[in-house]
């Protein structure tokens, strides 16, 4: 039969949480030094391709963000 599934712990989610703390945490995350040398040099992309659900998503490094987004995000989706 095949198929996939994911098992996760139960998280009792509720309420709106601390939005200010979330904003500060997101800001810290985006200020972190990138691990990839290419990203430290200002390139856009990622070291490996990945997926959005079952859809492949290319991540080749590119020096131009507009071209990266146009070709590897929007353009790639349009070619599927």
């Amino acid at each position: 039969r095949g198929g996939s599934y994911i098992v996760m712990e139960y998280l009792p989610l509720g309420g709106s949480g601390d939005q200010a703390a979330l904003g500060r945490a997101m800001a810290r995350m985006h200020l972190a030094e990138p691990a990839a040398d290419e990203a430290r040099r200002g390139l856009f992309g990622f070291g490996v391709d990945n997926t959005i659900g079952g859809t492949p998503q290319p991540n080749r490094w590119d020096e131009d963000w507009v071209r990266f987004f146009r070709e590897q995000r929007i353009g790639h989706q349009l070619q599927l």
Side-chain angles (χ1 to χ4, degrees), residues 9-27:
E9 69 179 293
Y10 171 74
L11 299 174
L13 304 175
S16 62
D18 185 342
Q19 299 299 305
L22 173 63
R24 288 189 296 274
M26 292 290 289

Side-chain angles (χ1 to χ4, degrees), residues 1 9-11 18 23 33 39 42 47 54 59-60 64 78:
R1 264 180 113 156
E9 69 179 293
Y10 171 74
L11 299 174
D18 185 342
E33 179 74 20
N59 289 305
R60 291 178 311 280
D64 183 277
L78 291 173

Side-chain angles (χ1 to χ4, degrees), residues 27-68:
R28 279 193 308 276
M29 179 183 74
H30 284 91
L31 290 173
E33 179 74 20
D37 181 56
E38 294 88 347
R40 284 194 300 274
R41 293 192 333 254
L43 299 178
F44 303 94
F46 197 61
V48 296
D49 291 342
N50 59 11
T51 61
I52 301 175
T55 306
Q57 177 172 269
N59 289 305
R60 291 178 311 280
W61 294 106
D62 196 315
E63 61 188 16
D64 183 277
W65 182 86
V66 171
R67 182 177 50 222
F68 171 81

